[in-house]
Amino acid sequence: MSTSNGPNGGRPKPPPAPPCAFVIFGASGDLTRRLLIPALYNLAASGLLSDGFRIIGVARGEMSAEDFKAGLEKGLQEFATQKVDAATAKWLLNCVSYIVGDVDDPATYQKLKAELEKLEASGHTQGNRLFYCATPPQAFAPIALRLGEAGLSDEGEDNTPWRRVIIEKPFGTSLESAKELNRKLLSVLDEDQIFRIDHYLGKETVQNILVLRFANGLFEPIWNRNHIDHVQITVAETVDVGTRGKFYDATGALRDMVPNHLFQLLSLVAMEPPARFDANSVRSEKAEALDSIRIPSTEEALFQSVRAQYRGGKIGDKEITAYRKSPDVNPGSTTETYAALKLEIDNWRWAGVPFYLRTGKALSKRRTEIAIKFKQAPVSMFRHMKLDEFGENLMVIEIQPEEGIKWLFNAKVPGPKVEIASVGMTFEYKDYFEAAPSTGYETLIYDCMMGDAILYQRADGVEAGWRAVEPFLTAWKEAGAEGIATYEAGSEGPAESEELLLTDSRRWRSITDPNGSR
């Protein structure tokens, strides 16, 4: 669906975020140079960072501030999502300072405190502090506790100046570990100071699910069990485990993707309308949706799930080594690189509507989408036709690689005879809105600086997600090597995954050619 006059002009420009010190723990890592600095550059280029904005990098590497800046500049040139303007890049890099220190060493926080006080005394940051944990997960709690001990996270009674902490995923590795991490964080921080980030929620199409559902009278009346047959959520990756074998073999596809990325998508599709569009209301409804997922028994969890590992194969021109032969992977590993689940939500809206989730590495195509399959209309007036001539009624929310929404429905084929064919209408963001390419972190970082947590997870939502995943983790652990399937790298996944839906007389949309299957 193409349009010529989109509503780009005349929209008010967002105000710059208030001045703050943006402190990055683990600043010498890939996350900083590949994503954070390019995102901050994009915010600067859009006029959304104030003159009082400053960056403090904290890492163990012995280097000067100038060497640190040079590394950031190189990363910006390599990973920028838009053409780099020299003046904007210079301004951003002039905001940078660097501290050498270990995140578990109290002395590091004394050096950080001195640097923050120096910036504040010089008229920058206005005392606002944003601490970003770009570190391995085991450092999240120690950083928060050390910030509390040093008094760096203390806010005044009116939260002015503010102090906020961004926590990356994975947020725990189980329900118990997530509860323990929440307990430690909340011992020194208030919930409204904690921003648990999931970069998927920075994507425009994901945020648009709320607008699509709740700002259009067309969709909400049919968004329930009376009209929807089932929902499919797919996050397919072409990348293999690569050099991350040590991390991945201890994590797996389920822990790595489902409690965060896929459950964030599920909660936006399944949530009830919030009373108002604010962080507490929206996050309460998202947590309630996750808390309504039916918790299966161990036996049910095995029956309602598929786990698999990729064998050797080929994706494009690239030869893919079998998972068990990858560096730092146990040759007898039972860690899954593919996971598929069937979930049910026990509430009035969704009773009897299955949610099918799948995610995997080394698949045929990179694709993230939500497919909402509507029930078939009564076809008695077309009873002389074969039912397989009718296409499915689908709404497909495409998140990557393209962002847009597609509707599939039936239409008459031109001609004197009544013949039916499946047709589609497509809305793509790039056709309607002028939006510069982004990393996905821009909106999330800006929202945190503005104090808007609507796109961040809350403690109860995180724990509800792990509670739903726990039975599958337990069932797979007890089953061991028994029941783990395999699939060829470059394929659409294991045959067992197809059987998960065929048991219910349904089928997955094709990852490789979704428009070729009805």
Side-chain angles (χ1 to χ4, degrees):
M1 178 169 57
S2 62
T3 54
S4 57
N5 294 313
N8 288 299
R11 290 200 304 269
K13 184 179 178 181
C20 76
F22 190 89
V23 181
I24 308 173
F25 293 103
S28 59
D30 273 357
L31 177 61
T32 301
R33 67 188 187 92
R34 293 173 68 96
L35 293 168
L36 297 186
I37 292 301
L40 290 171
Y41 170 84
N42 290 344
L43 289 174
S46 300
L48 297 179
L49 297 182
S50 71
D51 290 338
F53 178 78
R54 292 295 181 269
I55 301 169
I56 303 175
V58 181
R60 289 181 296 181
E62 291 283 351
M63 69 179 95
S64 67
E66 292 307 312
D67 289 340
F68 178 62
K69 290 181 187 181
L72 296 182
E73 184 175 19
K74 183 179 178 181
L76 178 59
Q77 296 295 337
E78 185 176 356
F79 299 109
T81 60
Q82 53 187 279
K83 185 178 180 180
V84 176
D85 172 71
T88 304
K90 181 179 180 181
W91 177 87
L92 183 66
L93 292 169
N94 283 341
C95 294
V96 173
S97 57
Y98 180 71
I99 291 173
V100 179
D102 190 290
V103 296
D104 203 26
D105 182 359
T108 299
Y109 298 84
Q110 294 306 312
K111 289 191 283 186
L112 176 58
K113 187 174 185 177
E115 181 66 20
L116 288 166
E117 289 175 349
K118 183 174 75 174
L119 290 175
E120 291 160 12
S122 63
H124 299 107
T125 79
Q126 292 184 359
N128 298 318
R129 302 166 184 174
L130 195 168
F131 302 100
Y132 199 113
C133 298
T135 62
Q138 58 267 28
F140 296 164
I143 288 172
L145 294 173
R146 294 296 186 192
L147 287 172
E149 289 173 2
L152 292 173
S153 58
D154 295 343
E155 292 183 327
E157 289 186 8
D158 58 353
N159 299 332
T160 304
W162 51 258
R163 284 89 165 87
R164 296 166 189 153
V165 180
I166 293 182
I167 305 290
E168 272 283 349
K169 81 168 189 75
F171 199 87
T173 57
S174 65
L175 176 58
E176 191 55 41
S177 64
K179 285 182 174 179
E180 179 63 11
L181 180 53
N182 278 330
R183 186 191 66 77
K184 289 180 178 178
L185 293 176
L186 291 168
S187 70
V188 291
L189 299 165
D190 293 331
E191 177 62 47
D192 61 9
Q193 291 181 273
I194 305 169
F195 288 70
R196 302 169 187 83
I197 196 168
D198 186 335
H199 68 270
Y200 262 50
L201 292 183
K203 297 180 181 295
E204 292 292 347
T205 308
V206 175
Q207 298 172 54
N208 192 47
I209 296 172
L210 291 173
V211 177
L212 178 76
R213 285 191 59 189
F214 303 126
N216 293 293
L218 179 65
F219 302 120
E220 184 57 25
I222 61 173
W223 208 268
N224 56 56
R225 60 185 171 85
N226 295 323
H227 301 279
I228 292 176
D229 178 80
H230 72 275
V231 178
Q232 297 181 20
I233 301 177
T234 298
V235 178
E237 300 179 288
T238 54
V239 296
D240 59 3
V241 70
T243 58
R244 300 173 69 230
K246 185 175 181 180
F247 161 78
Y248 202 85
D249 209 36
T251 305
L254 185 62
R255 281 189 175 94
D256 189 39
M257 298 294 288
V258 175
N260 38 70
H261 294 337
L262 275 81
F263 274 6
Q264 287 300 301
L265 301 180
L266 181 150
S267 64
L268 289 169
V269 171
M271 66 186 281
E272 293 298 314
R276 56 190 62 84
F277 192 67
D278 61 32
N280 279 334
S281 300
V282 171
R283 295 196 295 178
S284 292
E285 295 299 344
K286 287 172 62 181
E288 180 65 26
L290 294 177
D291 203 38
S292 298
I293 294 174
R294 181 182 301 169
I295 306 299
S297 66
T298 301
E299 184 179 357
E300 289 171 333
L302 283 176
F303 182 71
Q304 296 174 6
S305 66
V306 172
R307 58 185 174 129
Q309 290 177 345
Y310 63 82
R311 306 187 301 271
K314 198 170 184 179
I315 301 177
D317 296 328
K318 183 182 178 183
E319 293 287 343
I320 304 296
T321 303
Y323 175 71
R324 290 187 179 182
K325 295 182 180 179
S326 300
D328 300 320
V329 171
N330 183 342
S333 173
T334 59
T335 298
E336 77 286 351
T337 62
Y338 180 100
L341 309 177
K342 174 186 175 182
L343 300 174
E344 295 186 56
I345 296 177
D346 281 335
N347 60 23
W348 183 92
R349 182 185 293 268
W350 297 111
V353 179
F355 283 69
Y356 300 103
L357 280 60
R358 61 176 168 171
T359 183
K361 289 191 173 296
L363 295 173
S364 58
K365 193 166 184 179
R366 176 174 173 256
R367 183 178 300 282
T368 299
E369 69 173 32
I370 302 166
I372 298 159
K373 165 72 163 59
F374 290 90
K375 291 181 177 180
Q376 188 177 47
V379 293
S380 56
M381 66 180 291
F382 302 110
R383 56 183 171 271
H384 61 286
M385 298 181 180
K386 294 180 181 179
L387 286 179
D388 59 9
E389 294 181 17
F390 290 81
E392 296 179 320
N393 289 165
L394 281 168
M395 174 188 287
V396 183
I397 302 170
E398 299 174 326
I399 298 167
Q400 63 181 18
E402 300 296 332
E403 292 191 272
I405 301 169
K406 181 176 294 181
W407 289 268
L408 300 178
F409 54 93
N410 292 300
K412 179 187 174 295
V413 177
K417 184 181 178 182
V418 177
E419 296 181 5
I420 292 176
S422 179
V423 298
M425 292 175 59
T426 301
F427 155 72
E428 292 187 358
Y429 269 84
K430 64 183 181 182
D431 293 337
Y432 197 76
F433 297 106
E434 296 175 4
S438 69
T439 67
Y441 277 76
E442 290 84 355
T443 297
L444 296 166
I445 292 172
Y446 176 78
D447 282 357
C448 181
M449 290 190 287
M450 296 297 288
D452 185 356
I454 202 166
L455 296 178
Y456 288 86
Q457 297 189 70
R458 205 169 59 189
D460 55 346
V462 169
E463 292 175 14
W466 278 113
R467 195 174 296 112
V469 161
E470 197 85 355
F472 297 97
L473 292 172
T474 301
W476 293 357
K477 183 178 180 180
E478 291 178 359
E482 185 178 346
I484 187 164
T486 63
Y487 60 99
E488 183 179 356
S491 71
E492 296 215 358
E496 289 82 352
S497 182
E498 295 296 334
E499 293 169 9
L500 182 67
L501 271 69
L502 286 173
T503 300
D504 297 336
S505 299
R506 299 183 175 100
R507 59 181 174 178
W508 289 111
R509 276 170 51 81
S510 170
I511 294 172
T512 309
D513 183 22
N515 298 326
S517 61
R518 295 192 305 172

